[in-house]
Amino acid sequence: MHIVFLVAACMSILAVAMICLFMFANGVPAIRQIGFVNFIFGKTWMPGANKFGIFPMIIGSIYVTAGAIIIGVPIGLLCAVFMAKFCPPKLHKIMKPAVDLLAGIPSIIYGLFGMVFFGISLHLGYSILCGSLTLTLMVLPIIIRTTQEALKTVPLGYRTGALGIGATKWYMIRTIILPSAMPGIVTAVILSVGRIVGESAALLFTAGSAYLLPKNLFSHVLTSGGTLTIQMYLSMSKADYGNAFAIALVLIVVVLAINALTKVATKKLS
Protein backbone atom coordinates (compact mmCIF):
# COMPACT_ATOMS: atom_id res chain seq x y z
CA MET A 1 0.00 0.00 0.00
CA HIS A 2 2.94 2.32 0.62
CA ILE A 3 3.94 1.85 -3.03
CA VAL A 4 0.35 2.42 -4.20
CA PHE A 5 0.14 5.67 -2.25
CA LEU A 6 3.53 6.76 -3.58
CA VAL A 7 2.50 6.06 -7.19
CA ALA A 8 -0.72 8.04 -6.73
CA ALA A 9 1.22 11.00 -5.30
CA CYS A 10 3.75 10.86 -8.14
CA MET A 11 0.94 10.84 -10.72
CA SER A 12 -0.50 14.00 -9.20
CA ILE A 13 2.88 15.73 -9.27
CA LEU A 14 3.50 14.49 -12.81
CA ALA A 15 0.18 15.94 -14.04
CA VAL A 16 1.06 19.40 -12.69
CA ALA A 17 4.59 19.18 -14.07
CA MET A 18 3.36 18.17 -17.53
CA ILE A 19 0.90 21.08 -17.70
CA CYS A 20 3.55 23.59 -16.60
CA LEU A 21 6.18 22.23 -19.01
CA PHE A 22 3.69 22.19 -21.87
CA MET A 23 2.73 25.83 -21.26
CA PHE A 24 6.35 26.96 -20.92
CA ALA A 25 7.41 25.06 -24.06
CA ASN A 26 4.68 26.67 -26.15
CA GLY A 27 4.37 30.04 -24.43
CA VAL A 28 8.01 31.15 -24.19
CA PRO A 29 8.66 31.06 -27.98
CA ALA A 30 5.47 33.06 -28.60
CA ILE A 31 6.46 35.71 -26.07
CA ARG A 32 9.98 35.89 -27.51
CA GLN A 33 8.58 36.44 -30.98
CA ILE A 34 6.40 39.32 -29.80
CA GLY A 35 8.88 40.72 -27.31
CA PHE A 36 8.41 40.52 -23.56
CA VAL A 37 8.07 44.27 -22.99
CA ASN A 38 5.70 44.75 -25.95
CA PHE A 39 3.60 41.78 -24.87
CA ILE A 40 3.26 42.63 -21.16
CA PHE A 41 3.16 46.43 -21.33
CA GLY A 42 1.68 46.98 -24.79
CA LYS A 43 -1.59 48.92 -24.71
CA THR A 44 -3.01 47.77 -28.06
CA TRP A 45 -4.27 44.39 -29.24
CA MET A 46 -4.51 44.55 -33.05
CA PRO A 47 -3.42 41.27 -34.68
CA GLY A 48 -3.83 42.84 -38.13
CA ALA A 49 -1.23 45.48 -37.24
CA ASN A 50 0.99 42.93 -35.46
CA LYS A 51 0.34 44.53 -32.06
CA PHE A 52 -0.18 42.14 -29.17
CA GLY A 53 -0.25 44.03 -25.88
CA ILE A 54 -2.03 42.47 -22.93
CA PHE A 55 -1.64 45.37 -20.48
CA PRO A 56 -5.35 46.38 -20.74
CA MET A 57 -6.33 42.77 -19.99
CA ILE A 58 -3.99 42.71 -16.98
CA ILE A 59 -5.64 45.88 -15.65
CA GLY A 60 -9.08 44.35 -16.28
CA SER A 61 -8.08 41.21 -14.36
CA ILE A 62 -6.84 43.33 -11.44
CA TYR A 63 -10.07 45.35 -11.34
CA VAL A 64 -12.32 42.27 -11.44
CA THR A 65 -10.25 40.45 -8.82
CA ALA A 66 -10.05 43.44 -6.47
CA GLY A 67 -13.78 44.11 -6.76
CA ALA A 68 -14.75 40.51 -6.00
CA ILE A 69 -12.38 40.30 -3.02
CA ILE A 70 -13.43 43.66 -1.55
CA ILE A 71 -17.09 42.66 -1.71
CA GLY A 72 -16.80 38.93 -1.05
CA VAL A 73 -14.33 38.71 1.85
CA PRO A 74 -16.36 40.68 4.44
CA ILE A 75 -19.58 38.84 3.50
CA GLY A 76 -17.91 35.41 3.53
CA LEU A 77 -16.04 36.07 6.77
CA LEU A 78 -19.13 37.27 8.63
CA CYS A 79 -21.16 34.35 7.26
CA ALA A 80 -18.51 31.87 8.40
CA VAL A 81 -18.42 33.38 11.91
CA PHE A 82 -22.21 33.26 12.09
CA MET A 83 -22.34 29.62 10.98
CA ALA A 84 -19.55 28.61 13.35
CA LYS A 85 -20.54 30.53 16.49
CA PHE A 86 -24.06 31.98 16.35
CA CYS A 87 -26.13 29.87 13.95
CA PRO A 88 -28.99 27.83 15.50
CA PRO A 89 -28.72 24.10 14.72
CA LYS A 90 -31.87 24.02 12.58
CA LEU A 91 -30.70 26.95 10.47
CA HIS A 92 -27.21 25.44 10.21
CA LYS A 93 -28.72 22.30 8.66
CA ILE A 94 -30.10 24.51 5.88
CA MET A 95 -27.11 26.81 5.40
CA LYS A 96 -24.41 24.13 5.21
CA PRO A 97 -25.87 22.24 2.21
CA ALA A 98 -26.75 25.60 0.61
CA VAL A 99 -23.10 26.68 0.76
CA ASP A 100 -22.00 23.29 -0.58
CA LEU A 101 -24.48 23.60 -3.44
CA LEU A 102 -23.21 27.11 -4.19
CA ALA A 103 -19.72 25.66 -4.58
CA GLY A 104 -20.92 23.04 -7.06
CA ILE A 105 -22.82 25.28 -9.47
CA PRO A 106 -21.07 25.50 -12.89
CA SER A 107 -19.48 28.84 -13.65
CA ILE A 108 -21.46 29.24 -16.88
CA ILE A 109 -24.66 29.32 -14.78
CA TYR A 110 -23.16 32.02 -12.58
CA GLY A 111 -22.44 33.97 -15.75
CA LEU A 112 -26.01 33.57 -17.00
CA PHE A 113 -27.43 34.66 -13.62
CA GLY A 114 -25.04 37.61 -13.41
CA MET A 115 -25.93 38.76 -16.92
CA VAL A 116 -29.69 38.61 -16.26
CA PHE A 117 -29.75 39.90 -12.67
CA PHE A 118 -26.82 42.31 -12.37
CA GLY A 119 -26.49 43.23 -16.03
CA ILE A 120 -30.14 43.54 -17.11
CA SER A 121 -32.26 43.86 -13.95
CA LEU A 122 -29.84 46.23 -12.16
CA HIS A 123 -28.87 47.94 -15.45
CA LEU A 124 -25.12 47.43 -14.99
CA GLY A 125 -24.70 46.01 -18.49
CA TYR A 126 -21.34 44.61 -19.55
CA SER A 127 -19.10 46.13 -16.89
CA ILE A 128 -16.31 45.41 -14.42
CA LEU A 129 -18.76 45.84 -11.53
CA CYS A 130 -21.16 43.31 -13.01
CA GLY A 131 -18.32 40.80 -13.39
CA SER A 132 -17.05 41.45 -9.86
CA LEU A 133 -20.49 40.91 -8.32
CA THR A 134 -20.90 37.66 -10.24
CA LEU A 135 -17.48 36.39 -9.15
CA THR A 136 -18.31 37.36 -5.57
CA LEU A 137 -21.04 34.72 -5.61
CA MET A 138 -18.55 32.18 -6.95
CA VAL A 139 -15.88 32.70 -4.28
CA LEU A 140 -18.22 32.92 -1.29
CA PRO A 141 -18.23 29.11 -0.75
CA ILE A 142 -14.41 29.01 -0.76
CA ILE A 143 -14.16 31.84 1.77
CA ILE A 144 -16.94 30.50 3.99
CA ARG A 145 -15.83 26.87 4.17
CA THR A 146 -12.11 27.60 4.49
CA THR A 147 -12.75 30.19 7.21
CA GLN A 148 -15.01 27.75 9.05
CA GLU A 149 -12.27 25.13 9.06
CA ALA A 150 -9.78 27.74 10.26
CA LEU A 151 -12.09 28.69 13.13
CA LYS A 152 -12.38 25.03 14.15
CA THR A 153 -8.59 24.76 14.54
CA VAL A 154 -8.52 27.33 17.36
CA PRO A 155 -8.02 25.37 20.62
CA LEU A 156 -11.07 25.08 22.83
CA GLY A 157 -9.05 26.35 25.79
CA TYR A 158 -8.68 29.75 24.14
CA ARG A 159 -12.44 30.15 23.97
CA THR A 160 -13.30 28.77 27.40
CA GLY A 161 -10.45 30.73 29.01
CA ALA A 162 -11.61 34.03 27.50
CA LEU A 163 -15.23 33.41 28.52
CA GLY A 164 -14.08 32.27 31.96
CA ILE A 165 -12.43 35.61 32.74
CA GLY A 166 -15.56 37.52 31.79
CA ALA A 167 -15.17 38.28 28.08
CA THR A 168 -18.35 38.52 26.04
CA LYS A 169 -18.86 36.12 23.15
CA TRP A 170 -18.30 38.79 20.48
CA TYR A 171 -15.23 40.16 22.28
CA MET A 172 -13.82 36.63 22.47
CA ILE A 173 -14.42 36.07 18.74
CA ARG A 174 -12.96 39.45 17.76
CA THR A 175 -9.82 39.36 19.92
CA ILE A 176 -9.09 35.63 20.31
CA ILE A 177 -10.73 33.48 17.63
CA LEU A 178 -10.25 35.61 14.50
CA PRO A 179 -6.57 36.50 15.15
CA SER A 180 -5.78 32.86 15.91
CA ALA A 181 -7.53 31.74 12.70
CA MET A 182 -5.93 34.46 10.56
CA PRO A 183 -3.57 32.10 8.63
CA GLY A 184 -6.56 30.07 7.43
CA ILE A 185 -8.51 33.22 6.56
CA VAL A 186 -5.62 34.56 4.48
CA THR A 187 -5.41 31.19 2.74
CA ALA A 188 -9.12 31.43 1.88
CA VAL A 189 -8.63 34.90 0.40
CA ILE A 190 -5.64 33.90 -1.72
CA LEU A 191 -7.36 30.74 -2.95
CA SER A 192 -10.31 32.91 -3.94
CA VAL A 193 -7.96 35.15 -5.92
CA GLY A 194 -6.65 32.09 -7.73
CA ARG A 195 -10.21 31.05 -8.62
CA ILE A 196 -11.04 34.52 -9.91
CA VAL A 197 -7.89 34.88 -12.00
CA GLY A 198 -8.66 31.68 -13.88
CA GLU A 199 -12.34 32.36 -14.55
CA SER A 200 -13.57 33.09 -18.07
CA ALA A 201 -17.10 31.73 -18.68
CA ALA A 202 -18.83 33.95 -16.13
CA LEU A 203 -16.87 37.05 -17.17
CA LEU A 204 -17.64 36.53 -20.84
CA PHE A 205 -21.33 37.08 -20.04
CA THR A 206 -20.87 39.93 -17.56
CA ALA A 207 -17.65 41.92 -17.98
CA GLY A 208 -17.31 41.77 -21.76
CA SER A 209 -14.04 41.90 -23.67
CA ALA A 210 -13.26 45.56 -24.36
CA TYR A 211 -9.58 46.61 -24.46
CA LEU A 212 -9.78 49.80 -22.39
CA LEU A 213 -7.40 51.46 -19.98
CA PRO A 214 -8.97 53.42 -17.10
CA LYS A 215 -8.55 57.20 -17.09
CA ASN A 216 -8.66 57.19 -13.28
CA LEU A 217 -9.22 54.73 -10.47
CA PHE A 218 -13.02 54.52 -10.79
CA SER A 219 -13.61 55.31 -14.47
CA HIS A 220 -13.29 51.63 -15.43
CA VAL A 221 -15.83 50.22 -12.97
CA LEU A 222 -18.98 50.71 -15.03
CA THR A 223 -17.39 50.00 -18.42
CA SER A 224 -16.64 46.74 -20.18
CA GLY A 225 -13.19 45.33 -19.55
CA GLY A 226 -11.59 42.16 -20.87
CA THR A 227 -9.38 39.91 -18.75
CA LEU A 228 -6.50 37.57 -19.55
CA THR A 229 -8.73 34.48 -19.53
CA ILE A 230 -11.26 36.05 -21.91
CA GLN A 231 -8.54 37.09 -24.32
CA MET A 232 -7.05 33.59 -24.21
CA TYR A 233 -10.47 32.14 -25.06
CA LEU A 234 -10.91 34.58 -27.95
CA SER A 235 -7.44 33.78 -29.30
CA MET A 236 -8.13 30.04 -29.16
CA SER A 237 -11.49 30.50 -30.90
CA LYS A 238 -9.68 32.28 -33.75
CA ALA A 239 -7.00 29.55 -33.95
CA ASP A 240 -4.37 32.05 -32.77
CA TYR A 241 -2.63 29.39 -30.73
CA GLY A 242 0.69 31.20 -30.27
CA ASN A 243 -0.85 34.17 -28.46
CA ALA A 244 -3.19 31.88 -26.54
CA PHE A 245 -0.25 29.90 -25.19
CA ALA A 246 1.58 33.13 -24.34
CA ILE A 247 -1.37 34.37 -22.29
CA ALA A 248 -1.76 30.92 -20.72
CA LEU A 249 1.87 31.06 -19.62
CA VAL A 250 1.26 34.40 -17.91
CA LEU A 251 -1.75 32.90 -16.11
CA ILE A 252 0.27 29.85 -15.01
CA VAL A 253 2.96 32.11 -13.57
CA VAL A 254 0.31 34.17 -11.76
CA VAL A 255 -1.30 31.05 -10.27
CA LEU A 256 2.09 29.67 -9.16
CA ALA A 257 2.91 33.02 -7.57
CA ILE A 258 -0.43 33.01 -5.74
CA ASN A 259 0.22 29.51 -4.39
CA ALA A 260 3.70 30.54 -3.25
CA LEU A 261 2.25 33.63 -1.60
CA THR A 262 -0.26 31.42 0.22
CA LYS A 263 2.52 29.34 1.77
CA VAL A 264 4.58 32.39 2.74
CA ALA A 265 1.60 34.25 4.24
CA THR A 266 0.41 31.20 6.18
CA LYS A 267 3.89 30.56 7.55
CA LYS A 268 4.38 34.19 8.59
CA LEU A 269 0.98 34.46 10.28
CA SER A 270 1.39 31.14 12.06
Side-chain angles (χ1 to χ4, degrees), residues 31-239:
I31 294 178
R32 284 180 178 176
Q33 185 177 359
I34 300 171
F36 179 80
V37 176
N38 294 330
F39 182 69
I40 299 296
F41 298 102
K43 300 179 180 179
T44 305
W45 185 275
M46 295 178 62
N50 200 29
K51 294 181 179 180
F52 303 97
I54 63 171
F55 191 68
M57 282 76 85
I58 294 175
I59 297 299
S61 299
I62 293 173
Y63 267 75
V64 169
T65 302
I69 292 300
I70 291 172
I71 300 171
V73 169
I75 297 175
L77 180 60
L78 293 175
C79 183
V81 172
F82 174 75
M83 291 180 65
K85 303 300 177 184
F86 295 99
C87 187
K90 292 183 179 180
L91 181 59
H92 190 274
K93 290 181 180 180
I94 299 174
M95 293 188 66
K96 187 177 183 298
V99 172
D100 293 338
L101 180 61
L102 196 64
I105 296 176
S107 59
I108 195 71
I109 296 179
Y110 279 109
L112 181 61
F113 173 80
M115 179 185 67
V116 174
F117 183 72
F118 298 121
I120 298 176
S121 299
L122 299 184
H123 306 289
L124 295 178
Y126 285 102
S127 64
I128 292 292
L129 181 58
C130 183
S132 296
L133 291 172
T134 303
L135 291 181
T136 297
L137 300 178
M138 294 183 62
V139 299
L140 277 179
I142 300 175
I143 298 173
I144 293 172
R145 295 309 302 273
T146 308
T147 302
Q148 276 187 288
E149 295 303 320
L151 295 175
K152 291 179 181 178
T153 62
V154 179
L156 181 61
Y158 288 10
R159 289 172 276 177
T160 56
L163 295 174
I165 61 174
T168 62
K169 191 172 185 179
W170 169 238
Y171 185 84
M172 177 266 295
I173 292 172
R174 180 166 52 88
T175 61
I176 303 296
I177 302 299
L178 290 179
S180 300
M182 191 55 65
I185 296 172
V186 173
T187 300
V189 173
I190 299 178
L191 289 176
S192 301
V193 173
R195 172 70 187 274
I196 295 170
V197 169
E199 185 54 47
S200 60
L203 291 176
L204 196 62
F205 286 174
T206 55
S209 59
Y211 310 130
L212 300 175
L213 285 173
K215 297 179 181 179
N216 55 60
L217 185 61
F218 299 104
S219 64
H220 204 37
V221 175
L222 295 177
T223 60
S224 175
T227 62
L228 291 172
T229 50
I230 291 177
Q231 184 55 49
M232 186 179 70
Y233 164 76
L234 295 175
S235 297
M236 286 295 294
S237 64
K238 298 175 183 177

